[in-house]
Amino acid sequence: MRIGDAAAAIGATPRALRFYEQRGLLSPPRRTGSGQRDYTAEDLAVLRGIRYLLGLGLTVEDLAGLADRLPLLAARPPGPCRPDEPGEPAIIGTTVVRRRIAALDAEIERLTRLRDALREGLAPAPAGEPSPAAGVSPPRRR
């Protein structure tokens, strides 16, 4: 399957597939005689797993750290982030998931503070006092 068809099959763009390959999430697919990428059903299964994990909030960097395990998603769909049997490693390590949850929690806290500051700025100031937002500096970007 050519790159455009493969991308359409998983709901992505050809550019995204090339990006996943460039970042090491996907092994380079075999090439046709004319040099075009030729994706197999196994490649599509890995790509669907990558898209699923990205949709859960993991980042490309998170996935790059476990790229060697991504082909296992083709044989075993994503499930709980724990071993199914003693001695069997989880495909997606709990460390990666816990780190992503901590980052999401921090972002939620930051956004909550921002929302509360905006809400406070909308409250009418008592007569003769400056608006609460007058002394608030905009949050610094990271």
Side-chain angles (χ1 to χ4, degrees), residues 19-125:
F19 177 73
Y20 300 154
E21 183 183 336
Q22 177 189 26
R23 297 303 299 262
L25 303 184
L26 181 68
S27 297
R30 68 184 186 93
R31 299 283 183 144
T32 65
S34 62
Q36 295 180 327
R37 291 171 173 85
D38 191 21
Y39 293 90
T40 64
E42 291 80 19
D43 293 330
L44 291 181
V46 172
L47 286 164
R48 283 187 186 99
I50 290 168
R51 301 283 293 173
Y52 172 79
L53 294 171
L54 291 172
L56 287 177
L58 294 175
T59 65
V60 170
E61 290 74 26
D62 293 332
L63 297 184
L66 49 96
D68 59 324
R69 290 181 273 167
L70 292 175
L72 297 174
L73 294 174
R76 190 173 81 186
C81 297
R82 63 177 187 270
D84 292 334
E85 298 175 13
E88 181 186 358
I91 294 174
I92 308 160
T94 54
T95 302
V96 171
V97 173
R98 285 186 179 129
R99 186 176 56 235
R100 180 56 38 213
I101 290 170
L104 290 170
D105 286 343
E107 183 66 4
I108 289 168
E109 185 177 318
R110 183 187 74 78
L111 290 170
T112 300
R113 284 193 314 271
L114 181 59
R115 181 203 59 207
D116 293 346
L118 285 170
R119 186 175 285 149
E120 185 178 315
L122 292 176

